Amino acid sequence: MNKSILLFLLVSSMTLGQNKDQLKNCLISKETNISKLQKNKMKKQEKNVLGTDLEMASLEPLTGFYRDGFCSTGTNDTGIHVVAAVLTDEFLNYSKAKGNDLITPNLMYGFAGLKSGNVWCLCANRWKEALKAGVAPPVILSATNQKALEYLSLDDLKSHVVK
């Protein structure tokens, strides 16, 4: 985790009168969980849009509907967060204008905010909207869940592949 974010969280917790030991334990727990995810990254059974095993999208920032680094989906994922995208400023601003602000940190939910260059699992329909608006971010096909093909064409995804 970024050291400046850790410092900010620690200072913020002291400002809010929270127990800094509790926050420290929480951060240690997150780092331990990320370490476990890295070791177990090949255990996903889902497939990507290429028909091979779904690869991890990102641990930093930790992405995915289940916050496990994968663009996995399930019955609780009503947004269908299956497109592994490398975010751009154009897309982030577009998403914010559409009511989904991914830029601004929301520490209440442990969300540090995203920036251009971060890899994030996007909702299939939001990526499709962005495609029509000409601001679709590049995708990582090996980390994009095959479920995306129910909403998007493989050709559209391939035309926006990370180079």
Side-chain angles (χ1 to χ4, degrees):
M1 178 176 256
N2 184 320
K3 289 180 184 177
S4 61
I5 293 173
L6 285 172
L7 181 60
F8 176 77
L9 289 172
L10 285 171
V11 170
S12 296
S13 72
M14 288 185 272
T15 303
L16 296 173
Q18 295 176 344
N19 184 328
K20 80 176 175 182
D21 289 332
Q22 287 177 329
L23 182 58
K24 183 178 175 185
N25 290 338
C26 177
L27 294 173
I28 290 169
S29 175
K30 180 180 179 188
E31 289 178 4
T32 301
N33 289 340
I34 289 174
S35 177
K36 287 178 186 174
L37 287 170
Q38 287 171 323
K39 290 177 186 170
N40 294 317
K41 68 181 181 178
M42 296 310 295
K43 293 197 175 191
K44 282 290 176 182
Q45 300 299 312
E46 294 176 76
K47 298 294 182 187
N48 61 36
V49 294
L50 302 172
T52 58
D53 290 339
L54 184 64
E55 292 183 12
M56 186 170 288
S58 175
L59 291 175
E60 193 60 44
L62 187 57
T63 191
F65 178 76
Y66 298 105
R67 292 300 187 265
D68 61 359
F70 290 88
C71 294
S72 298
T73 192
T75 55
N76 293 329
D77 180 14
T78 57
I80 316 297
H81 296 78
V82 294
V83 179
V86 179
L87 301 178
T88 62
D89 287 329
E90 294 81 12
F91 173 79
L92 288 167
N93 290 323
Y94 172 80
S95 185
K96 185 175 182 178
K98 290 292 186 178
N100 187 19
D101 183 0
L102 298 172
I103 301 167
T104 305
N106 188 336
L107 298 180
M108 188 167 91
Y109 294 103
F111 181 70
L114 300 171
K115 61 184 179 193
S116 182
N118 286 153
V119 176
W120 198 248
C121 295
L122 298 178
C123 296
N125 282 328
R126 178 51 48 97
W127 192 88
K128 188 175 187 175
E129 289 173 5
L131 177 67
K132 289 179 183 177
V135 294
V139 297
I140 303 169
L141 296 177
S142 61
T144 297
N145 194 301
Q146 69 182 358
K147 181 85 172 173
L149 297 177
E150 294 178 23
Y151 304 86
L152 308 163
S153 76
L154 184 56
D155 287 340
D156 283 341
L157 292 167
K158 283 183 175 181
S159 72
H160 286 77
V161 73
V162 172
K163 295 177 183 174

